[in-house]
Amino acid sequence: MLEYHLDGTLIGTGGLETSDLENLAGPLTGVREEVLADADLWAGDANVPEAKQPLDAGFHMLPNRLLDELAADGDSSQLAQIQASADRLAELVDSVVVLGIGGSYMGARALLEACCHPYYNQVAPTLRAGRPAVYFEGNNVDNDAVQGLLDLLAGQTGDWGIVVISKSGGTLETAAALRIFLRELTSSISDAAEVGKYVVPVTGTSGKLFDLATALGCDERFPVPDGVGGRFSVLSAVGLLPAAVMGLDIEALLAGAAEMNAHFEREPFDKNLVLQYVAAAHAMEEKHGADIRVLSTWGKRLEAVGLWYDQLLAESLGKHERGAMPLTIVNTRDLHSRGQQHQEGKRDKYITNLTVKQGIREPLAIGQSDYNQDGLNELANKTLPDILSAAIAGTNQAYRDDHRATADLVLPKLDEQHLGQLLQMLMLATVVEGRLLGINPYGQPGVEAYKKNMNAILRK
Ligand code: PA5
């Protein structure tokens, strides 16, 4: 199970007092009851009161529901169908372009970067178990980038396909990309009438993309379940279909998330990862003005998880002129860019390290060399993980010496099960924090303003 440690040496000196956390035990335990009741309310027949709307609490028990359905219905369950569709696509094509923006792509990208080969698209297919290369587009409107990807696909010998993801089915960035990529896809396959086999949409049960999918003859398509908001949808077909295309174990992802659900529901305040995480962050913000929430990822593989969390926190809590400012950094890289400010700048930051206990590959040693001008023979037996661990400990020590608060979120391994735990933990924490602040974490009314203006400008 994931671990969460607040740097105990800071209590009393780094801003937080034990009482800050203890004072939140009652309110947060109450909020947990509310969040659990929201999941029941969402699933039941009762009307959702006005004050709770929108209530996109469908994400909460979704992992359990998908796993239960798999156990009960086998091949006809949605999870089995997602896997079958991903396997069919993997047989049919060499590359898949995943079109989507915001919550409709950030989770899949996070899973790819965290769990797949670090050079997934570049390595020989055998090193990615023969699965297709995966590219992300439709998440911007960059003329050069789109055509760059089309060049790359045109230079391939094998076929390529599309997974298009849009809950609303009407997001302009994704829709424009789909039209362009479809045009190229249709002219690149031998039988244009078969294009529907190469395209798998994930969308609502009605809307423009749904209608287009019908017209194209896409027999396989998956829903974004009702009551699951975009940024909470990584453990629905939105994240699971691309993950299955990449060959990830989607059952393990869901099992990890279901474990986090059980932990959240059962564990008391002082052992509850979700409640402890929110308590420390909230106390640092409210009491000490640390409203920049730094997620300090170590190594290269968790940056996209951090960017996914940036969106989750920003779109969920950045409302009514409130909400902490999320910032993902990657160390040791950013110790050489942001480190100075985090060590000596304003005391407006609260740093949570996101680390991995056990890497995937065997530790690589520096090794002896006849050319010792760099003086590294002294460290010949040290490995890259040893250096990373020393950097983490050294950085934490430096913050501690200056009474700057940090916490550690530790993944025992970088695999699907622990990623499932982490994603679910951060989604639950975001909802809990929203309820604690009296902010509805669901919905993103502020995003509509730019869309409305952009469409008006384009269509006038
Ligand atoms: O979290 C959200 O709801 C948003 O980030 C959406 O995912 C994003 O705007 C894309 O929307 P759609 O899936 O409807 O194309």
Coordinates of all heavy atoms in Angstrom, one line a residue, residues 251-323:
E251 N -7.0 -4.5 -14.9 CA -7.7 -5.1 -13.7 C -6.9 -4.7 -12.5 O -7.4 -4.4 -11.4 CB -7.7 -6.6 -13.8 CG -9.0 -7.1 -14.4 CD -9.0 -8.6 -14.4 OE1 -9.1 -9.2 -13.3 OE2 -8.9 -9.2 -15.5
A252 N -5.5 -4.7 -12.6 CA -4.7 -4.4 -11.4 C -4.8 -2.9 -11.1 O -4.9 -2.5 -9.9 CB -3.2 -4.7 -11.8
L253 N -5.0 -2.1 -12.1 CA -5.2 -0.6 -11.9 C -6.5 -0.4 -11.0 O -6.5 0.3 -10.0 CB -5.5 0.0 -13.2 CG -4.5 0.9 -13.9 CD1 -5.0 1.4 -15.2 CD2 -4.1 2.1 -13.0
L254 N -7.6 -1.1 -11.4 CA -8.8 -1.0 -10.7 C -8.8 -1.6 -9.4 O -9.4 -1.1 -8.4 CB -10.0 -1.6 -11.6 CG -10.3 -0.9 -12.9 CD1 -11.3 -1.8 -13.7 CD2 -10.8 0.5 -12.7
A255 N -8.0 -2.7 -9.3 CA -7.9 -3.4 -7.9 C -7.2 -2.4 -7.0 O -7.6 -2.3 -5.8 CB -7.2 -4.7 -8.1
G256 N -6.2 -1.8 -7.4 CA -5.5 -0.8 -6.6 C -6.4 0.3 -6.1 O -6.4 0.7 -4.9
A257 N -7.2 0.8 -7.1 CA -8.2 1.9 -6.7 C -9.2 1.4 -5.7 O -9.6 2.1 -4.8 CB -8.9 2.4 -8.0
A258 N -9.7 0.2 -5.9 CA -10.7 -0.4 -5.0 C -10.0 -0.6 -3.6 O -10.7 -0.4 -2.5 CB -11.2 -1.8 -5.5
E259 N -8.7 -0.9 -3.5 CA -8.1 -1.0 -2.2 C -8.0 0.4 -1.5 O -8.2 0.5 -0.3 CB -6.6 -1.5 -2.4 CG -6.5 -3.0 -2.7 CD -5.1 -3.3 -3.3 OE1 -4.2 -2.5 -3.4 OE2 -5.1 -4.5 -3.8
M260 N -7.8 1.4 -2.3 CA -7.8 2.8 -1.7 C -9.2 3.1 -1.2 O -9.3 3.8 -0.2 CB -7.3 3.8 -2.8 CG -7.1 5.2 -2.2 SD -6.2 5.3 -0.7 CE -4.5 4.9 -1.2
N261 N -10.2 2.7 -2.0 CA -11.6 3.0 -1.5 C -11.8 2.4 -0.1 O -12.4 3.0 0.8 CB -12.6 2.5 -2.5 CG -12.8 3.4 -3.7 OD1 -12.4 4.6 -3.6 ND2 -13.5 2.9 -4.7
A262 N -11.4 1.1 0.0 CA -11.6 0.4 1.3 C -10.8 1.1 2.4 O -11.3 1.3 3.5 CB -11.2 -1.1 1.1
H263 N -9.6 1.5 2.1 CA -8.7 2.2 3.1 C -9.4 3.5 3.5 O -9.5 3.8 4.7 CB -7.4 2.4 2.4 CG -6.5 3.3 3.2 ND1 -5.5 2.8 4.1 CD2 -6.4 4.7 3.3 CE1 -4.9 3.8 4.7 NE2 -5.4 5.0 4.2
F264 N -9.9 4.2 2.6 CA -10.5 5.5 2.8 C -11.7 5.4 3.7 O -11.9 6.1 4.7 CB -10.9 6.2 1.5 CG -11.7 7.5 1.6 CD1 -11.2 8.6 2.2 CD2 -13.0 7.5 1.2 CE1 -11.9 9.8 2.4 CE2 -13.8 8.7 1.3 CZ -13.2 9.8 1.9
E265 N -12.5 4.4 3.4 CA -13.7 4.2 4.2 C -13.5 3.7 5.6 O -14.2 4.1 6.5 CB -14.6 3.1 3.4 CG -16.0 3.0 3.9 CD -16.8 2.1 3.1 OE1 -16.5 1.9 1.9 OE2 -17.9 1.6 3.6
R266 N -12.4 2.9 5.8 CA -12.3 2.1 7.0 C -11.3 2.7 8.0 O -11.5 2.7 9.2 CB -11.7 0.7 6.6 CG -11.7 -0.4 7.6 CD -11.1 -1.6 6.9 NE -9.8 -1.4 6.3 CZ -9.4 -2.0 5.2 NH1 -10.2 -2.8 4.5 NH2 -8.2 -1.7 4.7
E267 N -10.2 3.3 7.5 CA -9.1 3.7 8.4 C -9.5 4.9 9.2 O -10.0 5.9 8.7 CB -7.8 3.9 7.7 CG -7.2 2.6 7.1 CD -6.8 1.6 8.1 OE1 -6.5 2.0 9.2 OE2 -6.9 0.4 7.8
P268 N -9.1 5.0 10.5 CA -9.3 6.2 11.3 C -8.5 7.3 10.8 O -7.5 7.1 10.1 CB -8.9 5.7 12.7 CG -8.0 4.6 12.5 CD -8.4 3.9 11.2
F269 N -8.8 8.5 11.3 CA -8.1 9.7 10.8 C -6.6 9.7 10.8 O -5.9 10.0 9.8 CB -8.6 10.9 11.7 CG -7.9 12.2 11.4 CD1 -8.2 12.9 10.2 CD2 -6.9 12.7 12.3 CE1 -7.6 14.1 10.0 CE2 -6.3 13.9 12.0 CZ -6.6 14.6 10.8
D270 N -6.0 9.2 11.9 CA -4.6 9.2 12.0 C -3.9 8.2 11.2 O -2.6 8.2 11.0 CB -4.1 9.1 13.5 CG -4.6 7.8 14.1 OD1 -5.6 7.2 13.6 OD2 -4.1 7.4 15.1
K271 N -4.6 7.3 10.6 CA -4.0 6.3 9.7 C -4.5 6.4 8.2 O -4.1 5.6 7.4 CB -4.3 4.8 10.2 CG -3.6 4.5 11.5 CD -3.6 3.0 11.6 CE -2.9 2.6 12.9 NZ -3.5 3.1 14.1
N272 N -5.4 7.4 8.0 CA -6.0 7.5 6.8 C -5.2 8.4 5.8 O -5.1 9.6 6.0 CB -7.5 8.0 7.0 CG -8.4 7.8 5.8 OD1 -8.1 8.3 4.7 ND2 -9.4 7.1 6.0
L273 N -4.7 7.7 4.7 CA -3.8 8.5 3.8 C -4.5 9.7 3.2 O -3.9 10.8 3.1 CB -3.4 7.6 2.7 CG -2.6 6.3 3.0 CD1 -2.4 5.5 1.7 CD2 -1.3 6.7 3.6
V274 N -5.8 9.5 2.9 CA -6.5 10.6 2.2 C -6.7 11.8 3.2 O -6.4 12.9 2.9 CB -7.9 10.1 1.7 CG1 -8.7 11.2 1.1 CG2 -7.7 9.0 0.7
L275 N -7.2 11.4 4.4 CA -7.5 12.5 5.4 C -6.2 13.1 5.9 O -6.2 14.4 6.1 CB -8.3 11.9 6.5 CG -9.6 11.2 6.1 CD1 -10.4 10.8 7.4 CD2 -10.5 12.2 5.3
Q276 N -5.1 12.4 6.1 CA -3.9 13.0 6.6 C -3.3 13.9 5.5 O -2.8 15.0 5.8 CB -2.9 11.9 6.8 CG -3.1 11.1 8.1 CD -2.9 11.9 9.3 OE1 -1.9 12.4 9.6 NE2 -3.9 12.0 10.2
Y277 N -3.4 13.5 4.3 CA -2.8 14.3 3.2 C -3.6 15.7 3.1 O -3.0 16.7 3.0 CB -3.0 13.6 1.9 CG -2.6 14.3 0.6 CD1 -1.3 14.4 0.2 CD2 -3.6 15.0 -0.1 CE1 -0.9 15.2 -0.9 CE2 -3.2 15.7 -1.3 CZ -1.9 15.8 -1.6 OH -1.6 16.5 -2.8
V278 N -4.9 15.6 3.2 CA -5.7 16.8 3.1 C -5.5 17.7 4.4 O -5.3 18.9 4.3 CB -7.2 16.5 3.0 CG1 -8.1 17.8 3.0 CG2 -7.5 15.7 1.7
A279 N -5.4 17.0 5.5 CA -5.2 17.8 6.8 C -4.0 18.6 6.7 O -4.0 19.8 7.0 CB -5.2 16.8 8.0
A280 N -2.9 18.0 6.3 CA -1.6 18.8 6.3 C -1.6 19.9 5.3 O -1.2 21.0 5.6 CB -0.4 17.8 6.0
A281 N -2.1 19.6 4.1 CA -2.1 20.6 3.0 C -3.0 21.7 3.4 O -2.7 22.9 3.3 CB -2.6 19.9 1.7
H282 N -4.2 21.4 4.0 CA -5.2 22.4 4.4 C -4.6 23.3 5.5 O -4.7 24.5 5.5 CB -6.5 21.7 4.8 CG -7.5 22.7 5.2 ND1 -8.3 23.4 4.3 CD2 -8.0 23.1 6.5 CE1 -9.1 24.2 5.0 NE2 -9.0 24.0 6.3
A283 N -4.0 22.7 6.5 CA -3.4 23.4 7.6 C -2.3 24.3 7.1 O -2.2 25.5 7.6 CB -2.9 22.5 8.7
M284 N -1.5 23.8 6.3 CA -0.4 24.7 5.8 C -0.9 25.9 5.0 O -0.4 27.0 5.1 CB 0.5 23.9 4.8 CG 1.5 22.9 5.5 SD 2.6 23.7 6.7 CE 3.5 24.8 5.7
E285 N -2.0 25.7 4.3 CA -2.6 26.8 3.5 C -3.3 27.8 4.4 O -3.1 29.0 4.3 CB -3.6 26.2 2.4 CG -4.1 27.3 1.5 CD -5.0 26.7 0.5 OE1 -5.1 25.5 0.2 OE2 -5.7 27.5 -0.2
E286 N -4.2 27.3 5.2 CA -5.0 28.1 6.0 C -4.2 28.9 7.1 O -4.4 30.0 7.4 CB -6.1 27.3 6.7 CG -7.1 26.8 5.8 CD -8.0 27.8 5.1 OE1 -8.6 28.6 5.9 OE2 -8.1 27.9 3.9
K287 N -3.3 28.1 7.7 CA -2.6 28.7 8.9 C -1.3 29.5 8.5 O -0.9 30.4 9.1 CB -2.3 27.6 9.9 CG -1.9 28.2 11.2 CD -1.8 27.1 12.3 CE -1.1 27.8 13.5 NZ -0.5 26.8 14.4
H288 N -0.7 29.0 7.4 CA 0.7 29.5 7.1 C 0.7 30.1 5.7 O 1.8 30.5 5.2 CB 1.7 28.5 7.3 CG 1.8 27.9 8.7 ND1 2.2 28.7 9.7 CD2 1.3 26.8 9.2 CE1 2.1 28.0 10.8 NE2 1.5 26.8 10.5
G289 N -0.4 30.2 5.0 CA -0.5 30.9 3.7 C 0.3 30.1 2.7 O 0.7 30.7 1.6
A290 N 0.6 28.8 2.9 CA 1.3 28.0 1.9 C 0.3 27.5 0.8 O -0.1 26.4 0.9 CB 2.1 26.9 2.5
D291 N -0.1 28.4 -0.1 CA -1.1 28.0 -1.0 C -0.6 27.6 -2.4 O -1.3 27.5 -3.4 CB -2.2 29.1 -1.2 CG -1.6 30.4 -1.6 OD1 -0.4 30.5 -1.9 OD2 -2.4 31.4 -1.7
I292 N 0.7 27.4 -2.4 CA 1.3 26.7 -3.6 C 1.6 25.3 -3.3 O 2.4 25.0 -2.4 CB 2.6 27.5 -4.1 CG1 2.2 28.9 -4.5 CG2 3.2 26.8 -5.3 CD1 3.3 29.8 -5.0
R293 N 0.9 24.4 -3.9 CA 1.0 23.0 -3.5 C 2.0 22.3 -4.5 O 1.6 22.0 -5.7 CB -0.4 22.4 -3.7 CG -0.8 21.1 -3.1 CD -1.1 21.2 -1.7 NE -2.1 22.1 -1.2 CZ -3.4 21.8 -1.1 NH1 -3.9 20.7 -1.6 NH2 -4.2 22.7 -0.6
V294 N 3.2 22.1 -4.1 CA 4.2 21.6 -5.0 C 4.2 20.0 -4.9 O 4.4 19.5 -3.8 CB 5.6 22.1 -4.6 CG1 6.7 21.5 -5.6 CG2 5.7 23.6 -4.7
L295 N 4.0 19.4 -6.0 CA 4.2 17.9 -6.0 C 5.6 17.7 -6.7 O 5.8 17.9 -7.9 CB 3.1 17.3 -6.9 CG 3.1 15.7 -6.8 CD1 2.7 15.3 -5.4 CD2 2.2 15.1 -7.8
S296 N 6.5 17.3 -5.8 CA 7.9 17.1 -6.2 C 8.1 15.7 -6.6 O 8.3 14.8 -5.7 CB 8.8 17.5 -5.1 OG 10.1 17.3 -5.4
T297 N 8.1 15.4 -7.9 CA 8.3 14.0 -8.4 C 9.8 13.7 -8.6 O 10.5 14.6 -9.0 CB 7.5 13.7 -9.7 OG1 8.1 14.5 -10.7 CG2 6.0 14.1 -9.5
W298 N 10.2 12.5 -8.2 CA 11.6 12.2 -8.3 C 11.8 11.1 -9.4 O 11.1 10.1 -9.4 CB 12.1 11.7 -6.9 CG 12.1 12.8 -5.9 CD1 11.1 13.2 -5.2 CD2 13.2 13.7 -5.7 NE1 11.5 14.3 -4.4 CE2 12.8 14.6 -4.7 CE3 14.5 13.8 -6.1 CZ2 13.6 15.6 -4.2 CZ3 15.4 14.8 -5.6 CH2 14.9 15.7 -4.6
G299 N 12.9 11.3 -10.2 CA 13.0 10.5 -11.4 C 12.2 11.1 -12.5 O 11.7 12.2 -12.4
K300 N 12.1 10.4 -13.6 CA 11.5 11.0 -14.8 C 10.1 10.5 -15.1 O 9.4 11.0 -16.0 CB 12.3 10.7 -16.0 CG 13.7 11.3 -16.1 CD 14.3 11.1 -17.4 CE 15.5 12.1 -17.6 NZ 16.0 12.0 -18.9
R301 N 9.6 9.5 -14.3 CA 8.4 8.8 -14.8 C 7.1 9.3 -14.2 O 6.0 8.8 -14.7 CB 8.6 7.3 -14.5 CG 9.9 6.8 -15.0 CD 10.0 5.4 -15.1 NE 9.0 4.8 -15.9 CZ 9.0 3.6 -16.4 NH1 9.9 2.8 -16.0 NH2 8.0 3.2 -17.2
L302 N 7.1 10.2 -13.3 CA 5.9 10.6 -12.6 C 5.5 12.1 -13.0 O 4.5 12.6 -12.4 CB 6.0 10.5 -11.1 CG 6.1 9.0 -10.7 CD1 6.6 8.9 -9.2 CD2 4.7 8.3 -10.9
E303 N 6.2 12.7 -13.9 CA 5.8 14.0 -14.3 C 4.3 14.1 -14.8 O 3.6 15.0 -14.4 CB 6.7 14.6 -15.4 CG 6.4 16.1 -15.7 CD 7.5 16.7 -16.6 OE1 8.3 16.0 -17.2 OE2 7.5 18.0 -16.6
A304 N 4.0 13.2 -15.7 CA 2.6 13.3 -16.3 C 1.6 13.0 -15.2 O 0.4 13.4 -15.3 CB 2.5 12.3 -17.5
V305 N 1.9 12.1 -14.2 CA 1.0 11.9 -13.1 C 0.8 13.3 -12.4 O -0.3 13.7 -12.0 CB 1.5 10.9 -12.1 CG1 0.7 10.9 -10.8 CG2 1.5 9.5 -12.7
G306 N 1.9 14.0 -12.2 CA 1.8 15.3 -11.6 C 0.9 16.3 -12.4 O 0.1 17.1 -11.8
L307 N 1.1 16.3 -13.7 CA 0.3 17.2 -14.6 C -1.2 16.8 -14.5 O -2.0 17.7 -14.6 CB 0.9 17.2 -16.0 CG 2.3 17.7 -16.1 CD1 2.8 17.5 -17.6 CD2 2.4 19.1 -15.6
W308 N -1.4 15.5 -14.4 CA -2.8 15.0 -14.3 C -3.4 15.6 -13.0 O -4.5 16.1 -12.9 CB -2.8 13.5 -14.3 CG -4.1 12.9 -13.9 CD1 -5.2 12.6 -14.6 CD2 -4.5 12.5 -12.5 NE1 -6.2 12.1 -13.9 CE2 -5.8 11.9 -12.6 CE3 -3.8 12.4 -11.3 CZ2 -6.5 11.4 -11.5 CZ3 -4.5 11.9 -10.2 CH2 -5.8 11.4 -10.3
Y309 N -2.6 15.6 -11.9 CA -3.0 16.1 -10.6 C -3.2 17.6 -10.6 O -4.1 18.1 -10.0 CB -2.0 15.6 -9.5 CG -2.4 16.1 -8.1 CD1 -3.7 15.8 -7.6 CD2 -1.6 16.9 -7.3 CE1 -4.1 16.3 -6.4 CE2 -1.9 17.3 -6.1 CZ -3.2 17.0 -5.6 OH -3.6 17.5 -4.4
D310 N -2.3 18.3 -11.4 CA -2.4 19.7 -11.5 C -3.8 20.1 -12.0 O -4.5 21.0 -11.5 CB -1.4 20.3 -12.5 CG 0.0 20.4 -11.9 OD1 0.2 20.1 -10.7 OD2 0.9 20.8 -12.7
Q311 N -4.2 19.3 -13.1 CA -5.5 19.6 -13.6 C -6.7 19.3 -12.6 O -7.6 20.1 -12.5 CB -5.8 18.8 -14.9 CG -7.0 19.2 -15.7 CD -7.9 18.1 -16.2 OE1 -7.5 16.9 -16.1 NE2 -9.0 18.4 -16.8
L312 N -6.5 18.2 -12.0 CA -7.5 17.7 -11.0 C -7.7 18.8 -9.9 O -8.9 19.2 -9.6 CB -7.1 16.4 -10.4 CG -8.0 15.8 -9.4 CD1 -9.3 15.3 -10.1 CD2 -7.3 14.6 -8.7
L313 N -6.6 19.2 -9.4 CA -6.8 20.2 -8.3 C -7.2 21.6 -8.8 O -8.1 22.2 -8.2 CB -5.4 20.3 -7.6 CG -5.4 21.0 -6.2 CD1 -6.1 20.1 -5.2 CD2 -4.0 21.4 -5.7
A314 N -6.6 22.0 -9.9 CA -6.9 23.3 -10.4 C -8.4 23.5 -10.8 O -9.1 24.4 -10.5 CB -6.0 23.7 -11.6
E315 N -8.9 22.5 -11.6 CA -10.3 22.6 -12.1 C -11.3 22.3 -11.0 O -12.4 22.7 -11.1 CB -10.5 21.6 -13.3 CG -10.2 22.3 -14.6 CD -10.7 21.5 -15.8 OE1 -11.2 20.4 -15.7 OE2 -10.5 22.0 -17.0
S316 N -10.9 21.5 -10.0 CA -11.9 21.1 -9.0 C -12.0 22.2 -7.9 O -13.1 22.5 -7.5 CB -11.5 19.8 -8.3 OG -11.4 18.8 -9.3
L317 N -10.9 22.8 -7.5 CA -11.0 23.7 -6.4 C -10.7 25.2 -6.7 O -10.9 26.0 -5.8 CB -10.0 23.2 -5.3 CG -10.1 21.8 -4.8 CD1 -9.2 21.5 -3.6 CD2 -11.6 21.5 -4.4
G318 N -10.3 25.4 -7.9 CA -10.0 26.8 -8.3 C -11.3 27.5 -8.6 O -11.6 27.8 -9.8
K319 N -12.1 27.8 -7.6 CA -13.4 28.4 -7.8 C -13.6 29.4 -6.7 O -13.0 29.3 -5.6 CB -14.5 27.3 -7.7 CG -14.4 26.3 -8.8 CD -15.2 25.1 -8.6 CE -15.0 24.1 -9.7 NZ -15.5 22.8 -9.4
H320 N -14.5 30.4 -7.0 CA -14.8 31.4 -5.9 C -13.6 32.1 -5.4 O -13.5 32.4 -4.2 CB -15.7 30.8 -4.8 CG -16.8 29.9 -5.3 ND1 -17.8 30.4 -6.1 CD2 -17.0 28.6 -5.1 CE1 -18.6 29.3 -6.4 NE2 -18.1 28.2 -5.8
E321 N -12.6 32.3 -6.2 CA -11.4 33.0 -5.8 C -10.6 32.3 -4.7 O -10.0 32.9 -3.9 CB -11.7 34.5 -5.5 CG -12.4 35.2 -6.6 CD -12.5 36.7 -6.5 OE1 -12.1 37.2 -5.4 OE2 -13.1 37.3 -7.4
R322 N -10.8 31.0 -4.7 CA -10.1 30.2 -3.8 C -9.4 29.0 -4.4 O -9.4 28.9 -5.7 CB -11.1 29.6 -2.7 CG -11.8 30.7 -2.0 CD -12.6 30.1 -0.9 NE -11.8 29.6 0.2 CZ -12.3 28.9 1.3 NH1 -13.6 28.8 1.4 NH2 -11.6 28.5 2.2
G323 N -8.7 28.2 -3.6 CA -8.1 26.9 -4.2 C -6.6 27.1 -4.3 O -6.1 28.1 -4.8

